[in-house]
Amino acid sequence: MAHDDHHHDHAEGSQLSDTALRVRALESLLIEKGYVDPAALDALIETYETKVGPRNGARVVARAWCDADFRKWLLDDATAAIASLGHTGRQGEHMVAVENTPEVHNMVVCTLCSCYPWPVLGLPPVWYKSAPYRSRAVIDPRGVLDEFGVTIDEAREVRVWDSTAEVRYLVVPMRPEGTDGWSEDELARLVTRDSMIGTGVALDPADLDAAGS
Amino acid sequence: MFREPWEAQAFAMAVELHARGAFTWPEWAHALSREIAAAGARDSGEDYYLHWLAALEKLVTEKSLASARELSERKDQWDRAARATPHGEPIVLGREAES
C-alpha cells in the first residue's frame, strides 16, 4: 500500500489513473445505493492485511503434527478442525486437508482462477495466479516442483488437487526429522506457505538456524 | 499483498457484496475465471486485480446493482473532481474546476 493513487498533473489539479477512477466510481455508487458499507470494507481490508495469513495454517499443521486426534479430525473434517482453532471465514467454508507421506506428495492449484483457502493461508501469491502455474501444475507437476527447488523421488506419487469455488485444499507437509519434543510454536516456524500449497516442503531445523529467526 | 489501494478496495467490494448475498461465490468464480481466461496463457498474475475489477464491474451490471452508464458517468465525475483538486488535497466527488 505504499503508492498513492494520484499523481501530480502538469496543471494544478490531481490525476487519478483510469483504474483508480473505475474503482472510485464503483465504490461510491455501491455505497450510495446501500449495497456495501464503507466501514465493512475498511474492516475487511484491515483483516486481510494484518490478521489473515499463512501463520494461521502453520498453527493448524503444527497441531496436527503434535496431536494424533487433531490430525485425524483434520483429515476427516478439515473445515471443523480448522474452525476449532478460530480460523473461519470466507473461502474456508469447505476445506479439505491432504497429507504428504513417504508415498505421496500433494500440491494444490486452481486451474480456472485463483481459489485459495484464505482463512489459513491469506491471499494467494502472484505466481499462484499466473497462467503458467495454473496450466503446468496439472500437465507437468514434477517440472513445476523442480522450478520451486523441490525434487520428488520417482517412486513417490505426486497428486495435484484442483481447487474449485466450493472446495479448498490445505497440504499437510511431512514433519521434518530431528524435531522430536518440539513445541507447537516451534514447529509452526518450520511450516512455510509454500509447504501448505505443496510447492515446498517444511523447513529443516537447520534452515531455521540459518535464517537466524 | 495489495500493491495499491485500489486493489484492496476492489477485493473488499467483491467479498462484501458476496457476504450480503448480491451474488453467490460460484457466480463470482465464474465471472473471475472468464476474465482470467480472456487474458490467455501469458498472464503473469501481476494483472490479477485488473481481472478482478473487470469481473466485478460486469457482475455488478449483470445483477443490475448499477448500470454501465452510471459507472461511466460516475467515473467522469471523479475524473473532473480529481483535476479540480490541488495535489495533496483529498479528492471529493462534485468538485469542479473553476474556469
Side-chain angles (χ1 to χ4, degrees):
Chain A
M1 301 281 289
H3 307 281
D4 198 350
D5 61 356
H6 61 270
H7 312 286
H8 192 257
D9 198 2
H10 289 294
E12 258 97 75
S14 307
Q15 200 176 351
L16 292 171
S17 71
D18 187 70
T19 307
L21 289 170
R22 284 163 61 196
V23 171
R24 284 195 184 220
L26 197 52
E27 188 171 47
S28 60
L29 278 169
L30 292 173
I31 290 170
E32 248 169 55
K33 291 165 178 269
Y35 291 121
V36 298
D37 168 14
L41 297 180
D42 286 348
L44 262 170
I45 292 169
E46 202 204 326
T47 297
Y48 282 95
E49 287 199 318
T50 61
K51 300 196 180 100
V52 181
R55 291 302 88 207
N56 292 358
R59 284 187 53 220
V60 173
V61 170
R63 173 68 59 89
W65 284 347
C66 293
D67 178 339
D69 289 337
F70 183 81
R71 172 184 163 272
K72 184 173 185 308
W73 189 17
L74 183 66
L75 296 177
D76 286 348
D77 182 355
T79 311
I82 290 168
S84 77
L85 297 184
H87 309 310
T88 57
R90 322 265 160 74
Q91 306 315 300
E93 292 93 344
H94 188 176
M95 292 289 311
V96 171
V98 289
E99 186 182 47
N100 286 349
T101 65
E103 291 77 37
V104 178
H105 178 88
N106 296 283
M107 69 187 270
V108 181
V109 64
C110 174
T111 53
L112 282 180
C113 48
S114 52
C115 299
Y116 194 72
W118 296 349
V120 280
L121 295 186
L123 299 179
V126 168
W127 57 259
Y128 185 85
K129 302 177 283 196
S130 72
Y133 181 75
R134 288 186 285 107
S135 57
R136 290 191 47 228
V138 175
I139 303 166
D140 180 21
R142 285 175 193 273
V144 170
L145 285 169
D146 204 46
E147 283 162 26
F148 278 91
V150 178
T151 309
I152 303 296
D153 195 82
E154 277 302 318
R156 215 167 149 213
E157 181 190 349
V158 175
R159 276 186 205 156
V160 180
W161 302 84
D162 192 358
S163 310
T164 67
E166 284 88 18
V167 181
R168 303 303 153 84
Y169 298 95
L170 176 73
V171 174
V172 180
M174 288 205 291
R175 179 170 173 163
E177 302 279 339
T179 57
D180 290 352
W182 282 37
S183 72
E184 258 181 62
D185 285 347
E186 288 172 314
L187 287 168
R189 293 165 61 208
L190 300 172
V191 186
T192 62
R193 178 194 66 202
D194 290 3
S195 75
M196 294 180 280
I197 303 175
T199 51
V201 295
L203 295 176
D204 190 83
D207 299 335
L208 209 55
D209 296 339
S213 50
Chain B
M1 159 101 33
F2 301 117
R3 291 169 303 180
E4 297 193 43
W6 71 262
E7 295 188 345
Q9 286 157 331
F11 169 78
M13 279 190 273
V15 173
E16 182 62 8
L17 284 173
H18 166 253
R20 293 206 181 193
F23 42 75
T24 66
W25 202 260
E27 283 175 322
W28 168 253
H30 178 72
L32 181 58
S33 302
R34 202 166 49 187
E35 297 301 324
I36 289 174
R42 303 176 68 88
D43 191 19
S44 68
E46 296 287 342
D47 289 339
Y48 180 68
Y49 283 104
L50 283 176
H51 304 325
W52 184 286
L53 174 59
L56 184 59
E57 286 171 334
K58 283 185 190 158
L59 208 45
V60 158
T61 52
E62 280 170 21
K63 294 284 181 182
S64 303
L65 304 181
S67 68
R69 186 177 167 179
E70 280 177 302
L71 286 171
S72 152
E73 286 175 357
R74 179 56 61 91
K75 181 174 165 241
D76 291 344
Q77 286 168 14
W78 275 113
D79 194 25
R80 289 199 298 275
R83 289 173 196 282
T85 303
H87 184 66
E89 285 183 26
I91 298 166
V92 183
L93 201 58
R95 185 164 183 167
E96 300 279 339
E98 295 156 27
S99 50

